[in-house]
Amino acid sequence: MARRWLRIRVELLSGMGMELEQPPGRVFAVAPSLTFARLAQEIDTSFGRWDLAHLHVFELGDGRRLGVPDDDPGEDAWLDDTAAKVGTELAPGDEFTYT
């Protein structure tokens, strides 16, 4: 049986040094096979980011990180966001941050 698509709500909590009192949000229908790198692209596009050449990080509820570190990740090895699949790393009800 095929895995069902995930419904992921993303809210823009802050930006340009401001905390947003009523954060705008987007709801994504995400295939379980989607990579976190592709999810990052889709989030950035949906919120109208024009500068797509920036570093990013997903931090999962258990502390694992995926993305593009700004320096040597050292002992805190990051998961490869171009290989890690959303449906494998997240379960219904899980929360994460994207920076």
Side-chain angles (χ1 to χ4, degrees), residues 1-98:
M1 182 165 88
R3 293 201 51 193
R4 296 179 184 243
W5 285 52
L6 302 166
R7 180 180 176 270
I8 297 179
R9 176 161 178 78
V10 176
E11 294 181 343
L12 182 63
L13 301 178
S14 64
M16 299 175 61
M18 298 181 301
E19 299 274 331
L20 303 174
E21 289 184 32
Q22 295 181 343
R26 306 284 188 273
V27 176
F28 296 86
V30 177
S33 61
L34 192 76
T35 66
F36 279 89
R38 181 63 191 269
L39 180 58
Q41 291 174 342
E42 298 304 324
I43 291 170
D44 291 343
T45 300
S46 74
F47 282 101
R49 277 198 72 111
W50 58 270
D51 175 13
L52 300 178
H54 66 283
L55 304 175
H56 65 268
V57 60
F58 287 94
E59 186 164 344
L60 306 182
D62 62 5
R64 293 178 295 150
R65 295 184 291 177
L66 306 98
V68 181
D70 60 358
D71 56 12
D72 180 12
E75 293 179 14
D76 294 337
W78 290 36
L79 298 174
D80 180 1
D81 71 337
T82 63
K85 308 289 187 203
V86 174
T88 303
E89 304 301 331
L90 294 177
D94 283 356
E95 292 189 9
F96 62 88
T97 61
Y98 173 70

